[in-house]
Amino acid sequence: MLLTRRLSTLFLAAAAAAGFMSSAAAQTTMKISISVAQNSHQGVAIDTFAREVEKRTAGRYKIQTFYSGALGGERESIESVQLGTQELTFTSTGPVPNFVPDARILDIPFLFRDKAHARAVLDGAIGQEMLAKFEPKGFKALAWGENGVRHMTNSKRTVTSPDDLKGLKMRTMENPVHVAAYKGFGIVTTPMAFPEVFTALQQGTVDGQENPLSVIMAAKFDQVQKHLSLTGHVYSPAIFLMSKGAFDKLSAADKTAFLEAAKEGAKVGRARVDEDDAKGVTELRSKGMTVVENVDKSKFIAALTPVNAEFEKQFGKANIDRIRAVK
Ligand code: EAX
């Protein structure tokens, strides 16, 4: 009797230990971050990614989501992923060239005709070749996502031509291609991490900034900016980055799960960008912004002729032409 009881106690303890161990092994928690608010194109992208990873790994991987730069700006998050102290981030390509210089070519103004062109390039051979270039730098680039087509806002004046930009002090991303091009417009460039931008606009440290309608709405820049011009001067890709160390530890099946989840996240994020673009002008006008919808883009393109010659030298004309040629 006593022996039976002892045995059953032992059995229960062993079962509990085994259960505990298997559930500990069963759930690995990873972090992913964005610099913008949850209610945004990027928020739905990482929320979808988190849900898909959990579903596709039967809950063995749990993705904790962080918004609004809670873990730092985009550059800091990319650094953390490279170091492996944070497993994942979803970021615009803003600070990416500082880590993967080959990616600079994607940030050239007026490179893509429209979102459809950009998506075709990123999802096609060129985009996939580019994803592979992140590996030697310590990243597994899971998939391209989308930040959107960037437009200019400022607190000083209506912008209809590049002449109106001369002398405007604008926050730019920490991106060497953007900085070079915007200088070409005559803008006084002030590179700054995104979490600091609202305050900088509010305090007048800078006159303006440029971002997709999705970001302008999510960040409520209408509260601190009067003028919006649909310059559409550059497409802003986004990317799911994972620490290569963390990715390499996954089983083959789980690697597929993460890759597929990122693709799902990208799809939902892009759909939200389209929704935001469709309603953005009306919404921002209703919040008090003055919007110039018809901007003569040819003037902006012409203003960049010298800078573009420089980009052709730096990135190779053939490489730029190959992107432009994608249908
Ligand atoms: O990724 O820094 C920027 O302006 C980005 O567009 C923004 O953080 C969204």
Side-chain angles (χ1 to χ4, degrees):
M1 183 62 188
L2 192 66
L3 185 68
T4 328
R5 202 181 297 152
R6 274 208 191 128
L7 274 177
S8 66
T9 311
L10 208 69
F11 175 77
L12 283 175
F20 173 75
M21 277 164 59
S22 70
S23 77
Q27 198 164 74
T28 304
T29 302
M30 295 185 175
K31 293 186 172 79
I32 190 165
S33 62
I34 53 173
S35 71
V36 292
Q38 180 175 17
N39 183 12
S40 69
H41 57 321
Q42 297 194 11
V44 296
I46 67 167
D47 288 351
T48 302
F49 172 76
R51 210 168 39 240
E52 289 294 322
V53 165
E54 288 182 36
K55 192 175 93 190
R56 288 163 191 267
T57 63
R60 283 176 295 103
Y61 287 90
K62 175 157 177 49
I63 308 292
Q64 266 184 308
T65 46
F66 295 85
Y67 314 97
S68 303
L71 300 183
E74 293 186 327
R75 185 172 44 75
E76 290 166 290
S77 298
I78 299 171
E79 254 161 31
S80 302
V81 170
Q82 193 179 41
L83 288 170
T85 54
Q86 181 179 325
E87 294 84 3
L88 293 138
T89 192
F90 184 67
T91 175
S92 79
T93 50
V96 162
N98 305 312
F99 300 86
V100 183
D102 282 337
R104 284 175 306 174
I105 193 168
L106 299 174
D107 296 312
I108 297 176
F110 300 110
L111 173 67
F112 298 107
R113 293 182 298 277
D114 49 28
K115 284 182 287 185
H117 178 208
R119 292 169 185 178
V121 169
L122 296 173
D123 294 346
I126 297 172
Q128 300 315 297
E129 286 164 24
M130 196 64 86
L131 291 181
K133 297 198 174 173
F134 286 74
E135 299 215 14
K137 310 290 182 184
F139 304 100
K140 175 67 191 178
L142 298 176
W144 290 106
E146 184 162 88
N147 193 28
V149 177
R150 303 179 81 90
H151 305 292
M152 299 194 189
T153 71
N154 80 92
S155 58
K156 295 272 178 205
R157 53 181 175 260
T158 305
V159 170
T160 52
S161 91
D163 289 339
D164 303 318
L165 294 173
K166 296 212 166 29
L168 269 187
K169 192 166 181 196
M170 289 189 40
R171 176 268 175 173
T172 74
M173 295 203 285
E174 299 164 280
N175 181 294
V177 179
H178 286 193
V179 171
Y182 302 167
K183 283 201 169 115
F185 285 134
I187 289 171
V188 180
T189 53
T190 308
M192 193 186 290
F194 187 75
E196 294 160 37
V197 179
F198 188 94
T199 307
L201 294 170
Q202 192 171 42
Q203 297 183 344
T205 317
V206 290
D207 303 320
Q209 64 86 45
E210 43 77 58
N211 250 304
L213 295 181
S214 298
V215 176
I216 295 171
M217 288 191 283
K220 301 187 169 37
F221 285 158
D222 49 89
Q223 294 178 0
V224 286
Q225 296 278 269
K226 178 74 187 154
H227 306 281
L228 164 64
S229 292
L230 299 190
T231 45
H233 54 280
V234 71
Y235 177 81
S236 185
I239 191 165
F240 280 97
L241 290 179
M242 184 162 180
S243 132
K244 187 161 161 22
F247 184 79
D248 288 347
K249 283 196 207 110
L250 300 176
S251 71
D254 289 340
K255 282 180 178 149
T256 306
F258 274 66
L259 289 164
E260 292 300 315
K263 278 191 204 142
E264 286 299 317
K267 207 192 288 173
V268 174
R270 283 172 176 176
R272 173 67 182 264
V273 170
D274 287 340
E275 275 174 42
D276 289 344
D277 280 344
K279 70 170 193 206
V281 169
T282 309
E283 185 165 321
L284 292 167
R285 268 197 185 123
S286 80
K287 302 213 154 139
M289 290 190 94
T290 304
V291 186
V292 179
E293 288 187 76
N294 296 315
V295 170
D296 184 354
K297 288 201 186 155
S298 66
K299 285 192 192 159
F300 287 82
I301 293 169
L304 293 185
T305 306
V307 187
N308 271 321
E310 194 49 44
F311 290 154
E312 283 182 4
K313 256 191 264 163
Q314 278 181 35
F315 311 139
K317 185 172 183 317
N319 295 327
I320 297 175
D321 287 346
R322 186 177 168 224
I323 294 175
R324 292 199 194 272
V326 173
K327 289 283 173 290

